[in-house]
Amino acid sequence: MTDQTQLLAGDVDEKLGDFKAAVLHYQAAAQRNPSDTNLYTLTVELLRHWTWDEAIQIAEYGAKRYPASTHFKAAEGIALYGNSKYPEAVEVFSSLLAKDPENALYADLLGRSCSLIAEGASVNCSGLEEFARRHPENARAAMYAATSILHRPTAEQDTAKVEKLLQQALTADPKLTEAYYQMGVLEQQRSRWKESAVVLEKAVELRPSYPEAHYRLSRAYSHLGMRDDAQKQMALQQQYAQQEKDHINARMQEVMTFLLKAN
């Protein structure tokens, strides 16, 4: 069978829901003819079914063989992101954004990765601030830039810049739930519990199943002496924490959709 025949067979198997058979056909096509198209088709198929380690391996090989094809590096970054290797994903997306600084897709993927580094945000996240400055209409870019600053050690945080970025995000999108949540985090770091409660209440109004916002709101109510309300918020946090995996999976599907549309 020619590589084109293998690709067609793989497409048929994918439509029929037979992932294993589809991968075997795409692998055969790539082995017979390791072209850009064949290697990328295999990479995307592996990504589509969350086969992260194999996707990383093929994407890395494709990037080395076809260095001008940035879709391999983007695919590698998404596989790293999907595999919870966020610092490594940040490095990939930061490099892509540095080479193409107006690319909103790269900025979004970098922001998503940076937001999931819990402590000591990578220096590679700093490109988000410059992108947000040039694109004030991009609410998520500003929100991600603010989040990355809040993830730095306390001594390295510029809270005035964080507030400005979050206000920019909310001006661009008044319904951006994560921006209200991050504003609540900022206000709590300032020990401004009443102010944090106001924005966190807005966050849970927009997204009732937001466990982190319920947790932060519980802390605010506790500091304000509202013990019953604090307990209710903790109960909601525990209730919705079970649904957080579904939210994370939905975010991963969004990332995959970005990749497929872009390439």
Side-chain angles (χ1 to χ4, degrees):
M1 296 176 68
T2 66
D3 63 305
Q4 289 301 315
T5 304
Q6 293 283 10
L7 287 176
L8 290 172
D11 291 344
V12 171
D13 287 329
E14 171 61 29
K15 289 180 180 178
L16 292 173
D18 192 344
F19 163 62
K20 292 183 179 179
V23 166
L24 290 175
H25 284 299
Y26 292 141
Q27 285 177 335
Q31 289 170 354
R32 181 178 293 274
N33 175 18
S35 66
D36 185 307
T37 298
N38 291 352
L39 287 170
Y40 188 65
T41 299
L42 174 58
T43 303
V44 169
E45 180 68 6
L46 293 167
L47 287 174
R48 184 179 282 120
H49 296 279
W50 299 18
T51 313
W52 308 125
D53 290 333
E54 291 86 344
I56 293 169
Q57 183 180 3
I58 301 301
E60 287 179 340
Y61 175 75
K64 290 178 181 177
R65 189 176 180 92
Y66 301 101
S69 295
T70 56
H71 56 200
F72 284 113
K73 291 302 294 182
E76 179 189 350
I78 287 172
L80 290 165
Y81 176 96
N83 210 19
S84 301
K85 296 182 177 179
Y86 304 123
E88 293 88 342
V90 164
E91 186 174 346
V92 170
F93 295 134
S94 175
S95 175
L96 286 170
L97 185 61
K99 294 176 182 176
D100 188 0
E102 299 305 310
N103 192 308
L105 171 63
Y106 296 157
D108 187 272
L109 293 172
L110 176 59
R112 288 168 185 260
S113 302
C114 289
S115 70
L116 292 171
I117 300 178
E119 298 178 359
S122 169
V123 66
N124 291 320
C125 296
S126 59
L128 289 168
E129 297 173 43
E130 179 60 23
F131 184 89
R133 185 189 66 79
R134 294 197 308 274
H135 298 276
E137 78 290 348
N138 191 319
R140 298 194 71 85
M143 183 272 295
Y144 284 135
T147 302
S148 70
I149 296 173
L150 284 173
H151 287 182
R152 295 173 185 169
T154 303
E156 298 177 17
Q157 293 180 11
D158 184 339
T159 56
K161 181 180 289 186
V162 171
E163 182 173 4
K164 182 178 179 181
L165 285 164
L166 291 174
Q167 289 175 343
Q168 175 181 320
L170 291 170
T171 297
D173 183 0
K175 294 186 178 181
L176 184 57
T177 312
E178 294 90 339
Y180 287 106
Y181 171 74
Q182 295 298 339
M183 187 70 82
V185 172
L186 173 63
E187 296 292 22
Q188 291 192 357
Q189 290 188 202
R190 293 168 163 174
S191 296
R192 297 174 59 180
W193 300 101
K194 185 176 181 179
E195 290 81 355
S196 77
V198 172
V199 288
L200 290 167
E201 286 168 351
K202 183 64 175 180
V204 298
E205 176 189 333
L206 291 168
R207 184 176 141 203
S209 60
Y210 199 159
E212 295 90 345
H214 285 295
Y215 169 74
R216 287 280 181 174
L217 190 52
S218 174
R219 289 190 63 198
Y221 287 157
S222 180
H223 279 271
L224 293 170
M226 303 165 62
R227 294 184 179 179
D228 290 344
D229 290 324
Q231 290 177 354
K232 289 177 183 178
Q233 290 300 318
M234 282 303 296
L236 289 169
Q237 186 272 331
Q238 293 170 7
Q239 174 185 339
Y240 291 122
Q242 300 299 319
Q243 300 179 18
E244 187 65 6
K245 181 179 289 187
D246 293 336
H247 180 66
I248 292 172
N249 289 346
R251 285 169 60 89
M252 191 64 240
Q253 291 293 354
E254 287 180 4
V255 169
M256 280 301 305
T257 301
F258 285 162
L259 175 69
L260 296 173
K261 284 184 178 179
N263 297 284

